[in-house]
Amino acid sequence: MRIDSYLEKLLFEYNCVVVPGFGAFLAHGKSAEIDLTTNTLVPPSKVISFNAQLTKNDGLLVSHISKEKNIGYEEMLKEVENISLDWNNKLSKGESIELFGIGKLWHNNEHRIQFQPEEKINFLTSSFGLSAFAATPIKREVIKEEVEELEERIPFIITPEKREQTSFRPWLKYAAVILLAVSMGVTSYRTYDDLQQKEVAAQQDAQQEVSRLIQEATFFESSPLELPAINLSVTKKKRGHHHIIAGAFREQQNAEKRVDQLKEKGYNAFYLGVNKYGLHQVAYDSFEDPQKALLFLRKVKVEDSRDAWMLSEK
């Protein structure tokens, strides 16, 4: 019997799971961090470690497996102890143990157990759906700094203005002012004329719309027909607050195609709606009980897609 699936499920809920006679798997909270070398933002997570000194049975793992398999506690305790004995024998022979979704164990040169955790699974339930995000650094413009540096290196020489033949310059100034005033007047007149034409056109459109509405109102008032009231009973499927998300799409058409594909596979898939990022979300199913949602999520990760995640609504 393999117990790694039971260990994985318990590590989502507890911070310490003891395998009697072998050791304990510990979950430590880790805050979000930024890797400056790769410019990657890593979300909060739980880091799994192993302690070979905690071998005393605390009843958590055995009780959970006996309840899941409907087997007596004492019988299950013996079976788990046999598994621990088998693991220890494999490690002493130089073999390694692969635990699905948890990590890998082996002996080092000093015959001490070494543990390499699985990095693809985040055991922090509040971080479901969050993945590492790589941000490209912003390259700001340095044109202003280059110009300032250029001004410091290259001197500007200001030559005095010649006063020769300046008697006609005042007349040029007055002519420029007059030309500007005439141009502004012509432009203002054209703008005013365009506004008047647009206002007349808008009034005509409004009158036509009012006439159309009056005709429709007259038609309905004079109609002797009275339509009977129709009572429709609509049954709305009640969904839970915990959704197992299959994906998010920019186009609603692609989301609807994904729903049809999942329904062909036997899932109760449905279109969840648009999230705050403008993406159309598709769900495998929804549950009211978070424990059932986690069990279904693990099943989906094994059978269909490891990218599935759980969205819990308040």
Side-chain angles (χ1 to χ4, degrees):
M1 182 183 74
R2 295 187 63 89
I3 62 173
D4 43 0
S5 60
Y6 302 104
L7 288 170
E8 180 186 4
K9 180 181 177 182
L10 290 174
L11 286 172
F12 277 105
E13 304 177 26
Y14 301 93
N15 293 330
C16 179
V17 181
V18 178
V19 180
F22 183 74
F25 294 92
L26 308 175
H28 308 277
K30 184 179 180 182
S31 303
E33 61 181 1
I34 299 177
D35 189 350
L36 297 178
T37 58
T38 59
N39 297 314
T40 303
L41 175 62
V42 181
S45 61
K46 268 205 225 178
V47 179
I48 306 301
S49 61
F50 179 77
N51 191 330
Q53 297 180 353
L54 301 177
T55 59
K56 187 176 181 180
N57 180 29
D58 61 353
L60 177 61
L61 178 62
V62 179
S63 299
H64 176 73
I65 301 177
S66 63
K67 183 178 179 180
E68 290 287 331
K69 298 180 70 65
N70 196 19
I71 300 176
Y73 180 85
E74 296 297 333
E75 181 181 353
M76 182 54 60
L77 177 59
K78 292 181 180 179
E79 189 168 351
V80 172
E81 288 177 346
N82 291 333
I83 293 174
S84 300
L85 182 61
D86 180 59
W87 285 0
N88 287 321
N89 291 334
K90 287 183 178 180
L91 293 176
S92 62
K93 294 178 181 178
E95 301 179 10
S96 60
I97 301 174
E98 295 277 354
L99 299 180
F100 176 77
I102 300 174
K104 179 179 179 181
L105 299 113
W106 71 94
H107 266 172
N108 60 6
N109 295 331
E110 298 177 356
H111 296 284
R112 294 183 179 180
I113 298 178
Q114 302 295 308
F115 176 68
Q116 177 64 41
E118 173 66 52
E119 298 180 353
K120 295 182 179 180
I121 297 179
N122 189 349
F123 289 91
L124 186 62
T125 56
S126 60
S127 295
F128 265 119
L130 299 178
S131 59
F133 175 74
T136 304
I138 299 175
K139 296 181 180 180
R140 303 188 181 277
E141 296 182 358
V142 293
I143 298 178
K144 183 177 180 181
E145 297 178 359
E146 293 179 355
V147 171
E148 292 178 352
E149 183 180 356
L150 185 63
E151 289 179 349
E152 293 178 357
R153 289 186 298 174
I154 302 176
F156 289 88
I157 302 175
I158 302 176
T159 58
E161 182 181 2
K162 293 183 180 180
R163 296 294 181 177
E164 298 178 358
Q165 299 178 356
T166 58
S167 59
F168 66 94
R169 288 188 178 180
W171 296 102
L172 292 176
K173 180 172 63 176
Y174 297 143
V177 173
I178 294 172
L179 181 59
L180 179 61
V182 173
S183 300
M184 291 180 63
V186 173
T187 304
S188 300
Y189 175 76
R190 290 180 178 176
T191 304
Y192 176 74
D193 186 52
D194 292 340
L195 289 175
Q196 280 189 333
Q197 292 179 1
K198 291 181 180 179
E199 183 177 357
V200 171
Q203 290 177 357
Q204 292 177 354
D205 294 340
Q207 290 177 358
Q208 292 178 0
E209 182 67 17
V210 171
S211 300
R212 184 184 64 81
L213 294 175
I214 291 174
Q215 291 176 0
E216 291 181 357
T218 304
F219 171 77
F220 285 112
E221 287 179 0
S222 61
S223 178
L225 298 177
E226 293 184 0
L227 299 177
I230 300 176
N231 296 325
L232 298 178
S233 60
V234 179
T235 303
K236 183 177 180 181
K237 182 181 178 182
K238 184 178 180 182
R239 297 186 178 130
H241 294 85
H242 306 281
H243 312 290
I244 307 304
I245 303 300
F249 306 86
R250 293 192 177 275
E251 300 294 336
Q252 184 175 356
Q253 182 179 3
N254 295 334
E256 294 173 353
K257 289 181 180 179
R258 182 57 174 161
V259 171
D260 295 338
Q261 293 173 357
L262 294 178
K263 286 183 177 180
E264 291 178 358
K265 293 182 179 180
Y267 295 103
N268 296 324
F270 60 91
Y271 172 67
L272 184 60
V274 182
N275 60 14
K276 63 180 180 179
Y277 302 105
L279 301 178
H280 300 271
Q281 292 180 314
V282 174
Y284 285 95
D285 206 340
S286 63
F287 301 86
E288 190 66 30
D289 188 355
Q291 302 298 329
K292 293 182 179 179
L294 286 174
L295 286 174
F296 182 76
L297 173 63
R298 184 180 175 277
K299 179 180 177 182
V300 169
K301 283 179 173 289
V302 175
E303 296 180 353
D304 190 68
S305 174
R306 295 186 62 87
D307 295 330
W309 55 281
M310 185 172 74
L311 172 63
S312 298
E313 296 179 340
K314 295 183 180 179

